[in-house]
Amino acid sequence: MYPGNVGNTSLQLRRRDFLMAAAGTAAALATGTARAASPLVLPPLPYAENALEPVISGRTISFHYGKHHKTYVDNLNKLAAGTEYADMPLEQIIAATAGKPEKTAIFNNAAQVWNHTFYWNSMKPGGGGDPPAALKQRIEASFGSVDACKKELAAAAVSQFGSGWAWLVLGGDKLKVVKTANANDPLTTGVTPLVTVDVWEHAYYLDYQNRRADYVGAVLDKLLNWEFALRNLG
Ligand code: MN3
């Protein structure tokens, strides 16, 4: 449908589709005898673990996806089991727990499940380069140029103190850059996320050690999935 889509079904998923995939088949699993704590399943990576090399190593992805992302899913399942959240779609859990100090643990894990699925889809092998024309136009209207947009996104990613995320979002009719700390995501502020960059150290430390700026620059130049951003724009 869009240039750059090469038949990878996962990459063609719209944001809501993969969120539903992330939420799993709640009803089916709820009736299953072998049902574990909760219905949430770790969504498959949209590419092989080593597909983002040399920008991000297979070793980084294997820990980041296979350990970190999986742990958020497992923790969320434990926390949600037997509660009102057990059968709730992920986005709804995030909305229902955001900003509630007594729900911090469940919010953190739910948001991190969502954020990581969004992050994997924000990148693709052979990404970066020029956005599709329809997106480019929107970027130029909001930032002046694609370069200015990338500079702002890189600055947000590099300047996020400690762990967090940098995002390109749609707010009203404007594209803008925001950053969030720890597990927070901009969904809870009423904007539409388009792409994100994970700047927790676990995202880059094995490959870049303390050189966060090098990791961010390489992701934006070589991996960013502009087609995914365009699809999220609706
Ligand atoms: Mn991470």
Side-chain angles (χ1 to χ4, degrees):
M1 189 187 314
Y2 298 105
N5 275 358
V6 289
N8 182 325
T9 314
S10 299
L11 287 175
Q12 290 173 338
L13 289 180
R14 296 176 65 89
R15 190 169 62 91
R16 287 202 175 268
D17 293 335
F18 83 70
L19 288 172
M20 289 173 72
T25 50
L29 285 165
T31 56
T33 49
R35 186 183 175 224
S38 170
L40 214 89
V41 292
L42 180 66
L45 265 185
Y47 32 71
E49 286 188 352
N50 64 357
L52 304 182
E53 291 184 350
V55 179
I56 301 177
S57 67
R59 184 167 154 77
T60 287
I61 301 285
S62 108
F63 279 101
H64 197 178
Y65 170 73
K67 305 287 185 196
H68 292 275
H69 195 179
K70 180 180 185 300
T71 299
Y72 295 126
V73 171
D74 292 345
N75 286 344
L76 177 58
N77 283 337
K78 281 180 208 152
L79 290 164
T83 74
E84 63 196 292
Y85 305 111
D87 294 325
M88 229 182 238
L90 194 52
E91 264 177 319
Q92 223 173 305
I93 299 177
I94 293 168
T97 57
K100 296 183 179 159
E102 74 281 12
K103 303 291 186 192
T104 299
I106 195 160
F107 171 81
N108 281 343
N109 285 284
Q112 284 294 76
V113 172
W114 194 94
N115 293 347
H116 281 89
T117 305
F118 199 80
Y119 169 63
W120 305 131
N121 283 276
S122 294
M123 301 182 288
K124 65 170 192 178
D130 251 354
L135 177 60
K136 194 173 177 183
Q137 220 169 18
R138 299 292 298 270
I139 289 174
E140 286 171 351
S142 295
F143 295 94
S145 69
V146 172
D147 269 356
C149 170
K150 282 169 63 181
K151 265 187 196 140
E152 205 178 312
L153 194 51
V158 171
S159 66
Q160 170 55 36
F161 185 79
S163 297
W165 303 82
W167 307 79
L168 179 64
V169 303
L170 173 67
D173 59 355
K174 277 233 154 197
L175 304 196
K176 53 184 187 175
V177 165
V178 296
K179 56 184 175 179
T180 59
N182 301 319
N184 291 327
D185 69 51
L187 277 181
T188 56
T189 66
V191 299
T192 303
L194 303 180
V195 281
T196 192
V197 182
D198 187 343
V199 295
W200 285 56
E201 282 188 346
H202 64 225
Y204 60 88
Y205 212 83
L206 290 176
D207 300 326
Y208 297 84
Q209 294 76 49
N210 61 322
R211 293 175 286 114
R212 186 194 284 188
D214 291 351
Y215 152 76
V216 169
V219 166
L220 297 186
D221 286 343
K222 295 172 182 161
L223 297 180
L224 203 65
N225 188 346
W226 289 119
E227 287 76 21
F228 179 64
L230 178 60
R231 290 197 294 280
N232 290 326
L233 205 46

